[in-house]
Amino acid sequence: MFELKYHTPKEWAQVALADFNAFLLDHATAEKKASGMAMSMISHYPDRKNMVKAMADLAIEELIHFKQVLKLINARGIQLGADTKDPYITQIRKAFRNGAEVFFMDRLIVAGVIEARGYERFSLIAQALPEGKDKVLYDAIAKSEEKHKNLFIELAYEYFDKDEVNIRLEEILTLEAEICAKLPFRAALH
């Protein structure tokens, strides 16, 4: 449906795999927050029937991903830590405009872009992992993120003028590319 403007180099995956325990902890936090975001959308926009259904399904799916990653974490004998702020998310959220309707549009578009970045990076992790269950899991998670990316933009099209959504999507994709280009590689999703 849309393409990211910044393409993560394969070297990023090597950095993530070099400290896979840290990556797993960050991934678990990201899944937890994604589920919470979906529930927040339901709370803030209960009158948007199709969005409510989609977000309920998404919240469950993200929690399933959290549980799958938690299983890997527990198998490695590592402990979940306290959630920390993600510099990527902090910066991209600054794109949100004031005003109820444009804020809602931005939330949908930004969520779609974040899911697209997740799809790209989980795909890189899946490609870099050796054959086995971890590779299979990350390939499945990547495919799920691809569906989510499209879901959010389809919802934006449902609630807003398609041309306006496309213009704003281009602006956010440009901003997101600038953010990604400046952030150092680390053993984290973003």
Side-chain angles (χ1 to χ4, degrees):
M1 180 178 276
F2 68 89
E3 294 297 322
L4 296 169
K5 294 186 180 294
Y6 172 87
H7 300 285
T8 303
K10 291 185 180 193
E11 292 78 19
W12 168 84
Q14 297 310 315
V15 170
L17 291 180
D19 191 356
F20 198 51
N21 286 354
F23 179 81
L24 289 172
L25 292 171
D26 179 76
H27 180 188
T29 298
E31 297 293 358
K32 216 175 14 169
K33 289 179 179 179
S35 181
M37 180 277 303
M39 293 304 294
S40 173
M41 295 286 281
I42 292 170
S43 296
H44 286 97
Y45 308 104
D47 58 322
R48 313 284 179 141
K49 184 178 177 182
N50 290 340
M51 194 227 37
V52 168
K53 182 191 178 315
M55 291 301 104
D57 292 342
L58 180 67
I60 292 166
E61 191 172 346
E62 300 289 18
L63 271 181
I64 290 168
H65 292 166
F66 170 74
K67 188 173 178 181
Q68 291 169 322
V69 176
L70 184 61
K71 186 176 178 181
L72 294 178
I73 288 168
N74 289 338
R76 290 171 169 266
I78 52 180
Q79 179 71 41
L80 282 178
D83 290 352
T84 58
K85 294 231 182 245
D86 182 325
Y88 167 85
I89 299 296
T90 300
Q91 289 182 49
I92 200 166
R93 287 182 57 111
K94 292 177 184 176
F96 292 164
R97 297 172 291 176
N98 292 324
E101 288 302 298
V102 293
F103 184 80
F104 178 45
M105 179 196 294
D106 287 353
R107 281 187 84 178
L108 291 170
I109 294 170
V110 166
V113 171
I114 291 169
E115 294 289 340
R117 183 61 61 200
Y119 163 62
E120 179 209 41
R121 292 199 170 174
F122 288 138
S123 294
L124 289 172
I125 292 293
Q127 291 168 20
L129 283 168
E131 292 299 323
K133 62 183 180 177
D134 292 355
K135 184 181 195 76
V136 170
L137 173 64
Y138 273 94
D139 187 52
I141 288 174
K143 288 176 180 155
S144 177
E145 298 292 305
E146 183 179 29
K147 287 187 283 185
H148 299 166
K149 126 190 175 182
N150 295 329
L151 167 69
F152 281 106
I153 302 307
E154 288 165 7
L155 286 168
Y157 289 155
E158 179 177 336
Y159 295 112
F160 301 98
D161 177 77
K162 189 172 184 175
D163 290 336
E164 288 180 33
V165 170
N166 288 338
I167 289 167
R168 187 62 177 149
L169 176 58
E170 279 298 307
E171 293 169 356
I172 291 174
L173 285 168
T174 298
L175 171 67
E176 194 266 354
E178 292 168 3
I179 291 167
C180 287
K182 291 178 184 173
L183 288 173
F185 292 169
R186 60 192 188 107
L189 183 57
H190 304 115

